[in-house]
Amino acid sequence: MESPWRLRLCLSHGLVCRQFSVMTASHDSLVVLYGATAGANGAKLGSDERELVLVVWQVVDLHNKKVGEVHRVLVKADSPELSEQCKEEIGVSPEELAEAEPLDRVLVQFNQVVSSELKALGRSSYCLCTDGQLLVRQVLHPEASKKNLVLPDCFSSFYDLQKEFHKCCPNAASVKELSISSMAEYLELSTDSTVNGFGAVEVTTMGEIILSLISEPCNYEFKNFETVNYKFETGPCSKAEGVDGETVIRARGLPWQSSDQDIARFFKGLNIAKGGVALCLNSQGRRNGEALVRFINPEHRDLALERHKHHMGSRYIEVYKATGEEFLKIAGGTSNEVAQFLSKENQVIIRMRGLPFTATADDVLGFFGNECPVTGGKEGLLFVKYPDGRPTGDAFVLFACEEFAQNALKKHKEILGKRYIELFRSTAAEVQQVLNRYMSTPLISTLPAPLIPVLPQPFIATGNTRDCIRLRGLPYTASIEDILEFMGEFTIDIKPHGVHMVLNQQGRPSGDAFIQMKSADRAFLVAQKCHKKTMKDRYVEVFQCSGDEMSYVLMGGTLNRSGLSPPPCKLPCLSPPTYPTFSPGTAVIPAEAALYQPQALLAPARTAQPAPPAVAYYPAQATATQLYMNYTTYYPSPPVSPTTVGYFAAPQAAMAAAASSATHAVLPQPGALVRMQGLPYNIATKDILSFFQGYQYAPDDYSGLIQMNDQARSMFQAPKEWVCL
């Protein structure tokens, strides 16, 4: 008589039984594999980067429906520390682990034992079978990658017993809810009481489950196994391509010199889509330590999220969800020239930066020489140009193998012509980004709309009076309300619009804020009472400072115990427009601030420009939060060589110094302020006017041209500059 579970299975899953009625397994045998780490196990296996300390396996003969001997081997870990869960479940001490073999020798032992048993059974092929994805994808492959071990080929494919069980018994439970015990309970299997030891019981039960699935009445066939990609494949991505938003993550905190292969190695064990690594660039075309990674399916994306704060070298990497639109914005392209360049697959891409504008393809080929030949000669070169055909000094080069690429990188900062050339490993996504950036650049840059209105003068702190305080170490989630609560009784001493949040160069909270108090005495008292007071489980440092010091930091400088450091960039940046704005009112505009209109610079020649509309920055009646919230700023990125003409809202001191050498006010009429950098030292006024021929500039007496004097130049950190009105 049939057992109850078999009768229930036949009645409820008759279609399933008929579907797998013929057993023609693609492998002769399965090797059931189970493991544990020195940290978390179970559903969190591999999430804490702890090393493998236990491996258990058993051979299952699918043809004869028999199981072999259970092998249980300890693995020596580099770190002897064991979690309480590990000590309790495995029952092993650090002393026992210290006497065990390291992972590389255990893998050799595993291969030898399995091969010997298969030979005795007369079998030739086998595939691993694990309880879920975690052991292979989140433990074995990442750990082997960090230790520079090459896993045997058998670890590149495996069966997920949970998925196979769900295919055979879809009504049992969802895949995520399945476990070894629940599968055995559904099949009404009893545990072998003669088996002892953590891991051995699990492996024995898994073997019995497999034999039950391949036997009558189901005759299930194991044929669709999981695979682990050996190498990340590069390739182009089109903007017209559809990208599932549930397959993309954002990795943050990457070393600036990391390549797509380094990122793929960090996610070793998970399958990244072809061309699925896009390194993000900042506004100057340099990598900003972030990357978008696209996986083959949402399951692998979810496993990638479990590697949040895992380490790449000595740096921990943050991993967050991202969208398909974000990935296409970075990696997608429409240029046929780029598509043709990237059509040569499995090539190593090197980026050249700093090329002479007169450099030709022959010059580049000669620079690399015979020791690192370029793939396809001139066809393996892609020069980056502006829309009008002018060279940018950047180029991308293809090499057929890693050896040629390494030889090429040894030429980093060697001389071509009269310039040294920078060389970096690059990616297909970076090629797209750089080309998209330059091809979308107008011939003469246009003025952007103001990010936020110009700040009202009454709310800008100045002077040496130490009536301000600086908060350092704020939680990144801290809001204005949190700061007001933190200040407590001293909230009434804050000036209106006196809270200044500081953002970093990515537009995220930096953990700093400045607050203007009504007097220096109150600022001193706040610094004494609130220093190292707790906000959201973090202590916050509170320092007294002056208005000049606060303004200097908000312009991009730094304030520390050794004093003030100048702003690291010439472009003070204000917060993005997603932050709160207020209803229009009467504008209050300081004379020292540089104004510009949100219209394009390329206005018709000699055409009068309309005056800018009145804008307001704060309402007459505001809520309690708005009363104290002034604006947010972020520190600019480090100094770089700008790729286009720059525009800026000039700092007060610099514009005052520039104005002191001119006979007219800085802005005699509504207009735009343009800053020119990199001018020859012998430049004259007529050369500037000739450069802007055909466009409208300041009045005909040319007083709109202001040469920066020494005082202003020290603020802007530039050798010789002009301001054009």
Side-chain angles (χ1 to χ4, degrees):
M1 182 176 178
E2 294 283 353
S3 65
W5 82 265
R6 292 185 184 276
L7 291 174
R8 183 170 68 249
L9 187 64
C10 287
L11 292 174
S12 60
H13 307 301
L15 292 176
V16 175
C17 293
R18 286 193 294 271
Q19 182 179 355
F20 302 110
S21 59
V22 179
M23 178 183 158
T24 55
S26 58
H27 297 89
D28 297 327
S29 305
L30 296 180
V31 176
V32 178
L33 186 66
Y34 192 83
T37 67
N41 291 296
K44 289 294 183 180
L45 184 69
S47 62
D48 54 3
E49 287 189 284
R50 299 302 300 273
E51 295 174 275
L52 192 69
V53 296
L54 176 67
V55 177
V56 188
W57 72 88
Q58 181 185 49
V59 175
V60 179
D61 185 349
L62 297 178
H63 184 73
N64 295 322
K65 300 180 182 178
K66 295 181 180 179
V67 296
E69 180 183 353
V70 176
H71 300 271
R72 188 174 186 269
V73 180
L74 294 178
V75 183
K76 182 178 181 180
D78 294 338
S79 175
E81 297 182 3
L82 299 175
S83 67
E84 293 300 324
Q85 180 186 2
C86 178
K87 293 178 182 178
E88 181 179 349
E89 291 181 346
I90 302 179
V92 63
S93 65
E95 292 74 19
E96 292 178 279
L97 284 181
E99 299 176 357
E101 296 289 346
L103 180 60
D104 55 343
R105 295 185 181 179
V106 171
L107 293 176
V108 173
Q109 179 183 351
F110 169 84
N111 199 38
Q112 291 175 346
V113 172
V114 171
S115 299
S116 177
E117 289 194 32
L118 290 177
K119 186 176 181 180
L121 293 172
R123 305 299 170 209
S124 58
S125 64
Y126 71 94
C127 186
L128 300 179
C129 183
T130 61
D131 177 35
Q133 307 267 318
L134 301 181
L135 178 60
V136 174
R137 297 196 185 277
Q138 298 286 70
V139 178
L140 280 169
H141 279 277
E143 184 173 339
S145 177
K146 291 179 180 178
K147 296 181 177 180
N148 293 318
L149 302 178
V150 179
L151 289 175
D153 293 339
C154 63
F155 290 94
S156 295
S157 59
F158 65 98
Y159 288 104
D160 182 346
L161 184 58
Q162 295 176 2
K163 288 186 178 180
E164 300 302 319
F165 182 87
H166 183 71
K167 293 176 186 177
C168 183
C169 309
N171 291 341
S174 65
V175 175
K176 293 183 178 180
E177 295 174 344
L178 290 175
S179 64
I180 295 176
S181 58
S182 66
M183 289 186 287
E185 182 180 354
Y186 186 84
L187 299 176
E188 297 184 355
L189 298 175
S190 59
T191 305
D192 190 348
S193 59
T194 61
V195 179
N196 296 317
F198 179 80
V201 176
E202 286 76 8
V203 165
T204 302
T205 306
M206 289 171 66
E208 293 178 358
I209 293 173
I210 292 172
L211 293 180
S212 298
L213 294 181
I214 65 176
S215 302
E216 293 290 343
C218 288
N219 295 327
Y220 182 77
E221 179 182 355
F222 287 79
K223 58 181 180 180
N224 296 321
F225 51 82
E226 301 279 333
T227 60
V228 179
N229 290 345
Y230 173 73
K231 185 179 180 181
F232 167 66
E233 293 185 61
T234 61
C237 177
S238 171
K239 285 187 179 293
E241 184 177 344
V243 176
D244 184 359
E246 297 298 317
T247 62
V248 182
I249 62 94
R250 179 183 294 273
R252 181 180 297 161
L254 299 166
W256 68 268
Q257 72 274 24
S258 58
S259 66
D260 54 349
Q261 296 294 341
D262 296 324
I263 296 172
R265 186 175 181 179
F266 175 79
F267 290 108
K268 187 68 175 177
L270 307 179
N271 294 344
I272 299 175
K274 182 177 179 181
V277 176
L279 295 166
C280 301
L281 307 180
N282 61 20
S283 58
Q284 287 80 33
R286 285 159 170 75
R287 296 172 185 173
N288 64 3
E290 296 188 3
L292 294 171
V293 185
R294 175 190 177 192
F295 294 91
I296 61 171
N297 57 42
E299 180 183 21
H300 286 230
R301 194 280 302 267
D302 293 340
L303 292 176
L305 293 172
E306 293 295 325
R307 300 195 188 184
H308 179 61
K309 292 196 173 181
H310 283 204
H311 288 77
M312 179 184 291
S314 59
R315 297 176 64 101
Y316 73 83
I317 309 301
E318 302 174 51
V319 183
Y320 304 99
K321 291 182 180 180
T323 65
E325 291 77 10
E326 290 178 297
F327 182 84
L328 286 177
K329 183 178 179 181
I330 298 298
T334 57
S335 171
N336 292 331
E337 183 182 13
V338 175
Q340 183 177 0
F341 176 77
L342 298 175
S343 62
K344 304 176 181 65
E345 298 181 358
N346 300 322
Q347 300 288 312
V348 183
I349 306 174
I350 300 295
R351 180 180 179 183
M352 304 181 71
R353 195 165 62 196
L355 286 170
F357 294 150
T358 57
T360 64
D362 291 330
D363 295 332
V364 174
L365 295 177
F367 175 79
F368 288 111
N370 297 326
E371 61 272 19
C372 40
V374 177
T375 301
K378 295 182 180 180
E379 294 182 358
L381 301 176
L382 179 63
F383 288 93
V384 183
K385 298 180 180 180
Y386 289 109
D388 61 353
R390 291 181 295 116
T392 64
D394 281 26
F396 293 93
V397 189
L398 296 179
F399 294 96
C401 63
E402 189 66 31
E403 180 183 357
F404 292 162
Q406 290 297 333
N407 291 337
L409 290 172
K410 293 177 182 178
K411 296 180 177 291
H412 179 61
K413 291 197 174 181
E414 288 192 8
I415 302 298
L416 175 59
K418 295 183 179 180
R419 304 193 61 174
Y420 72 85
I421 308 301
E422 296 177 285
L423 300 175
F424 308 94
R425 296 183 69 100
S426 188
T427 67
E430 186 172 8
V431 175
Q432 296 281 20
Q433 283 185 83
V434 174
L435 266 293
N436 291 344
R437 184 185 305 276
Y438 282 113
M439 292 306 294
S440 61
T441 303
L443 299 184
I444 296 182
S445 302
T446 58
L447 286 170
L451 293 178
I452 66 170
V454 180
L455 298 176
Q457 181 65 26
F459 303 130
I460 298 179
T462 56
N464 295 322
T465 305
R466 299 176 64 80
D467 58 352
C468 301
I469 60 171
R470 178 186 183 185
L471 306 183
R472 187 170 67 186
L474 292 169
Y476 294 139
T477 58
S479 63
I480 300 295
E481 291 86 350
D482 297 324
I483 292 178
L484 298 180
E485 182 180 353
F486 174 83
M487 296 286 292
E489 59 183 296
F490 300 103
T491 302
I492 60 174
D493 298 314
I494 302 176
K495 288 184 179 180
H497 314 284
V499 178
H500 307 259
M501 301 288 289
V502 181
L503 307 183
N504 62 20
Q505 62 182 15
Q506 281 80 36
R508 297 188 297 271
S510 66
D512 279 23
F514 285 91
I515 300 178
Q516 295 174 254
M517 308 299 293
K518 291 182 178 179
S519 67
D521 293 338
R522 303 305 293 176
F524 174 80
L525 191 58
V526 172
Q528 293 294 317
K529 297 288 186 180
C530 296
H531 184 57
K532 292 194 175 181
K533 184 179 173 182
T534 302
M535 179 190 297
K536 293 186 177 180
D537 299 327
R538 293 192 62 172
Y539 74 84
V540 179
E541 298 175 287
V542 183
F543 305 100
Q544 187 180 10
C545 64
S546 68
D548 282 345
E549 291 171 336
M550 183 193 76
S551 298
Y552 204 64
V553 172
L554 293 180
M555 289 301 300
T558 57
L559 177 62
N560 47 47
R561 293 180 180 178
S562 60
L564 288 170
S565 300
C569 179
K570 310 173 184 66
L571 297 178
C573 302
L574 300 180
S575 60
T578 55
Y579 285 83
T581 56
F582 303 108
S583 58
T586 304
V588 183
I589 302 178
E592 295 82 359
L595 307 179
Y596 57 84
Q597 297 175 262
Q599 285 89 11
L601 176 63
L602 302 181
R606 303 298 177 184
T607 301
Q609 299 182 12
V615 289
Y617 314 99
Y618 305 94
Q621 300 294 329
T623 63
T625 300
Q626 291 172 336
L627 176 63
Y628 294 100
M629 183 171 60
N630 186 9
Y631 63 99
T632 54
T633 64
Y634 62 90
Y635 295 120
S637 40
V640 293
S641 300
T643 56
T644 59
V645 177
Y647 306 97
F648 63 98
Q652 299 176 18
M655 288 308 300
S660 65
S661 63
T663 58
H664 290 71
V666 173
L667 286 180
Q669 64 178 23
L673 185 65
V674 181
R675 178 184 180 183
M676 303 179 67
Q677 295 177 272
L679 295 172
Y681 281 93
N682 58 351
I683 197 72
T685 300
K686 63 179 182 180
D687 299 316
I688 302 289
L689 299 178
S690 177
F691 179 80
F692 286 108
Q693 184 176 6
Y695 302 104
Q696 182 180 2
Y697 38 81
D700 292 338
D701 60 359
Y702 310 137
S703 60
L705 292 177
I706 304 174
Q707 185 174 2
M708 306 300 288
N709 57 23
D710 292 336
Q711 181 180 359
R713 192 178 308 129
S714 63
M715 168 65 75
F716 287 107
Q717 300 177 339
K720 185 170 184 181
E721 300 170 359
W722 291 73
V723 175
C724 304
L725 305 178

